Amino acid sequence: MTGNIRLLSDTLAAAKAEGRSALIAYLPAGFPTVDGGIDAIKAVFDGGADVVEVGLPHSDPVLDGPVIQTADDIALRGGVKIADVMRTVREAHEATGKPVLVMTYWNPIDRYGVERFTAELAEAGGAGCILPDLPVQEAGLWREHAAKHDLATVFVVAPSSRDARLAEITAAGSGFVYAASLMGVTGTRESVGAQAQNLVERTRATRADLPVCVGLGVSNAEQAAEVASFADGVIVGSAFVQRMLDAPDTAAGVEAVRELAADLAKGVRRTA
């Protein structure tokens, strides 16, 4: 089976055709359990998310703030494995027909084997991978196998990225570009800031056909609407994870993320 990069591209294009940004949600696999995590992802899709990123829990998540670190720790203590991540991708995609990516640091893939990882992700119906710590100049092996299996390679850009660097990244990437709205780790914030809009504009200037989606800091409909006014996609992670952490049990957490997704989905549609 080949991957779903075309489904991802078509989903982002369909949102654009509606005059709105896509809503992209993030939740880690195995949190609070493997089954509970799958239920939460299905609920987020049901609430209105267009795309979901499944996090591969890592013991040293350098890009992630305390909320996602806490969820990763719960998942790792629960014994989550890469096989559980693949199962999460498969069941979420098969239940909804929507694009599901994996967000992971490079080390787990390197240890698992690039060919094995990409083949299994494609077989599970995955759309691709977001690789926040893989330098584009060292991504040749990954890109070769990702292309072989029709998987998107999503790189992360930051406000500190110079224009020449942005051009290098957009030339190598596929699916979309993940634009970090500010320097720092993931987490909800009072304001997403003007840095994000400037970064989107500079990134688009290097390659107009590759969508630019913004993450880090968005937690409510107002912020989603703000980012949706200039980005192709609005990425929300910590706010979903926090809803799960705050819930008294898994069932309540699943309902909480469904409600948040519905609220955010209204936000990204305000500019339509």
Side-chain angles (χ1 to χ4, degrees):
M1 183 184 293
T2 56
N4 275 314
I5 186 173
R6 175 60 66 86
L7 176 62
L8 174 64
S9 298
D10 288 350
T11 299
L12 294 173
K16 185 175 183 179
E18 293 175 17
R20 66 173 179 89
S21 284
L23 174 60
I24 303 175
Y26 166 94
L27 280 166
F31 166 72
T33 62
V34 176
D35 288 341
I38 292 169
D39 288 344
I41 291 168
K42 291 177 182 177
V44 164
F45 272 133
D46 187 52
D50 299 289
V51 180
V52 165
E53 305 168 7
V54 175
L56 194 161
H58 194 269
S59 57
D60 185 26
V62 293
L63 184 70
D64 295 311
V67 172
I68 290 176
Q69 285 184 25
T70 299
D72 278 5
D73 185 56
I74 290 169
L76 290 168
R77 283 191 282 113
V80 70
K81 301 288 191 295
I82 288 180
D84 299 312
V85 177
M86 298 301 177
R87 180 189 154 207
T88 299
V89 171
R90 177 182 289 103
E91 293 195 16
H93 169 65
E94 288 181 350
T96 64
K98 295 184 178 180
V100 182
L101 300 106
V102 168
M103 186 166 188
T104 178
Y105 297 96
W106 179 246
N107 185 255
I109 295 178
D110 192 37
R111 286 185 300 176
Y112 197 71
V114 178
E115 169 59 26
R116 180 184 178 194
F117 188 93
T118 52
E120 289 183 8
L121 181 57
E123 194 277 329
C129 250
I130 301 165
L131 301 157
D133 67 339
L134 179 63
V136 65
Q137 64 270 23
E138 297 175 19
L141 180 64
W142 166 266
R143 289 175 59 207
E144 174 190 340
H145 288 291
K148 175 182 173 182
H149 294 290
D150 291 323
L151 297 169
T153 297
V154 179
F155 291 111
V156 178
V157 298
S160 60
S161 302
R162 297 181 180 274
D163 291 350
R165 176 75 171 162
L166 293 176
E168 187 180 8
I169 290 170
T170 56
S174 56
F176 63 91
V177 180
Y178 186 126
S181 65
L182 71 176
M183 302 304 293
V185 297
T186 57
T188 62
R189 289 175 172 81
E190 292 299 315
S191 174
V192 178
Q195 277 188 322
Q197 185 168 359
N198 176 259
L199 177 59
V200 169
E201 291 169 355
R202 291 196 298 119
T203 304
R204 276 207 189 112
T206 67
R207 184 178 165 188
D209 67 319
L210 191 63
V212 184
C213 304
V214 171
L216 272 65
V218 176
S219 62
N220 56 51
E222 289 68 32
Q223 291 174 334
E226 176 191 354
V227 174
S229 69
F230 59 81
D232 298 297
V234 180
I235 303 169
V236 182
S238 294
F240 283 114
V241 175
Q242 190 66 61
R243 292 288 181 102
M244 294 292 292
L245 288 170
D246 290 344
D249 54 47
T250 300
V254 168
E255 272 312 303
V257 296
R258 190 195 315 273
E259 291 171 6
L260 177 59
D263 189 45
L264 293 165
K266 291 176 185 174
V268 299
R269 284 165 172 78
R270 284 187 193 172
T271 52

